[in-house]
Amino acid sequence: MVRATGGFFTVLDEQGRAYICHARGKMKLQKASLLVGDRVRFCPGTKENGVSAGEAARGCREGLIEALLPRGNCLTRPPVANVEQLVLVLALRDPDPDWQLASRLLLMAERERMEALLCLNKVDLVGPAEIDAAARFLDHFPYPYLFTSAKAGKGIAGLEARLRGCHSVFAGPSGAGKSTLLNAVEPGLVLKTGAISAKAGRGRHTTRLAELLPLPQGGMVVDTPGFSRVDFAGLEPEQLERLFPELDPYRGRCSFRNCTHLPEPGCAVRDAAAAGEINPWRYQHYRCFLQELIDRRKDQR
Ligand SMILES: Nc1nc2c(ncn2[C@@H]2O[C@H](COP(=O)(O)OP(=O)(O)O)[C@@H](O)[C@H]2O)c(=O)[nH]1
Ligand SMILES: [Mg+2]
Ligand SMILES: [Zn+2]
């Protein structure tokens, strides 16, 4: 299911043909919980009614959704299911990169078992020295990254290759260039870009629905308005370590078995961060998030 509007769902069949669907009676209760990206069992209808002339002209058909198939994963903001890859877009300037927000989003990707790709966009706004500095900053960063410029067409082929054949969601601060990058990959998408919240108004910005957009070379994407905050709902402090993949090689190498990697002596993780084998800012984020989770647990008592 690629789009939901006013009780109608757009479903694509295996050949990529679109069907405008209702949900079958007993599914009505569940209807609100149908998410873009959901796999459904549906039966194609033959009637023409309910399909507008425009839709019919584009080859849209009718259908009836009979069942929701099991989900691989499920995000709440944006509300989408079965996403395989998070494409995290940060601008090198305007706005400056928010690395902690990046780590929060990467944590969400780990929780939902998604692949992650970092796009450092707007390279046209900075000089070679700043690009070098960013690359040094990303030393031992545990995810692949690309330098891109949606404006200058740099890195677009690399991004396109990464999007091919899978379902991706774009995330990152508002203004980083997510929509512009997607338009550069596929001009046919004609996504709205630029200062959204100021002119179009907050309401429109926040109520915009998630939609899975097909890419001509295969694969689908969800553009999002941007995230400013990712909370750690339902996450326990003990689970945090597993969501930093770069800590995996050090598991069991600290002096204390239940080492939190904060104040304990003989901590292999802290030593590795000090030696630059673990990216030091990622380690700082780990510490900061763990403290946040511990404080939250105290507050709940
Ligand atoms: N200089 C420069 N500007 C860009 C680039 N990509 C996007 N922009 C501009 O940044 C602003 C925000 O872009 P937009 O795609 O709407 O960001 P989004 O909120 O992440 O979707 C727009 O004015 C774009 O023209 C880039 O690579 N270089
Ligand atoms: Mg946008
Ligand atoms: Zn430790």
Side-chain angles (χ1 to χ4, degrees), residues 62-132:
E62 271 205 322
L64 194 59
I65 297 176
E66 302 192 302
L68 170 64
L69 302 178
R71 282 175 185 153
N73 64 12
C74 158
L75 310 182
T76 48
R77 279 200 316 164
V80 278
N82 303 314
V83 186
E84 295 154 307
Q85 175 171 251
L86 174 82
V87 179
L88 170 55
V89 181
L90 293 182
L92 285 173
R93 183 179 291 171
D94 189 23
D96 286 342
D98 180 343
W99 297 105
Q100 199 186 94
L101 175 66
S103 276
R104 282 178 191 272
L105 286 162
L106 290 166
L107 214 65
M108 175 183 84
E110 290 291 338
R111 280 184 94 179
E112 298 299 333
R113 295 176 308 281
M114 297 155 73
E115 301 286 325
L117 169 70
L118 173 63
C119 279
L120 292 160
N121 192 36
K122 307 199 187 184
V123 284
D124 57 291
L125 294 184
V126 300
E130 280 166 278
I131 296 174
D132 283 353

Side-chain angles (χ1 to χ4, degrees), residues 151-192:
K151 273 251 166 84
K154 191 174 176 291
I156 303 303
L159 175 59
E160 194 177 325
R162 287 271 180 179
L163 297 177
R164 205 164 292 158
C166 76
H167 288 196
S168 305
V169 62
F170 274 53
S174 180
K178 298 177 292 297
S179 303
T180 313
L181 273 173
L182 274 170
N183 284 335
V185 168
E186 172 44 29
L189 293 177
V190 281
L191 298 169
K192 268 217 179 74

Side-chain angles (χ1 to χ4, degrees), residues 266-284:
C267 173
V269 168
R270 199 174 53 236
D271 290 350
E277 288 159 27
I278 289 176
N279 185 297
W281 62 266
R282 287 276 297 169
Y283 175 59
Q284 280 310 318

Side-chain angles (χ1 to χ4, degrees), residues 99 118 120 133-142 145 147 279 281:
W99 297 105
L118 173 63
L120 292 160
R136 274 198 305 280
F137 187 70
L138 287 166
D139 196 28
H140 287 92
F141 182 65
Y145 62 90
F147 286 106
N279 185 297
W281 62 266

